Amino acid sequence: MAALREEEEQKSQKMEKIEALSREIAALSDTIRATEKQLRAETSHSCSTTRLQWKESSSAPCWMIHSCTQEL
């Protein structure tokens, strides 16, 4: 009977560890998604600014303006 209780205790501890790891993974996934979203926004803003500067200066080749547009 004691062996059964010990086995149940070990199982319970393992489940707690799995749940804690799952929470950590979820938090990391949220952080990654937020970082990706921020990077996309910064890239979009940077590309838009660059495109506008190129158009205003008329010094950038057309292919540069179009390639920046395609990255978005």
Side-chain angles (χ1 to χ4, degrees):
M1 202 63 172
L4 183 57
R5 274 186 239 134
E6 179 65 26
E7 185 179 328
E8 286 293 322
E9 180 63 28
Q10 289 176 357
K11 182 179 176 182
S12 176
Q13 289 174 356
K14 287 180 183 179
M15 292 302 293
E16 288 176 14
K17 288 180 182 180
I18 290 171
E19 289 171 3
L21 287 172
S22 293
R23 286 190 298 274
E24 287 183 44
I25 290 169
L28 287 171
S29 293
D30 290 344
T31 300
I32 290 168
R33 275 192 289 278
T35 302
E36 288 174 336
K37 183 178 179 180
Q38 182 180 359
L39 286 172
R40 280 192 301 273
E42 289 173 3
T43 301
S44 176
H45 174 72
S46 174
C47 200
S48 295
T49 302
T50 303
R51 234 184 1 258
L52 180 60
Q53 290 170 344
W54 285 341
K55 286 179 182 179
E56 288 175 351
S57 70
S58 298
S59 63
C62 184
W63 65 269
M64 287 181 129
I65 295 170
H66 292 297
S67 67
C68 190
T69 304
Q70 292 172 356
E71 291 176 9
L72 299 174

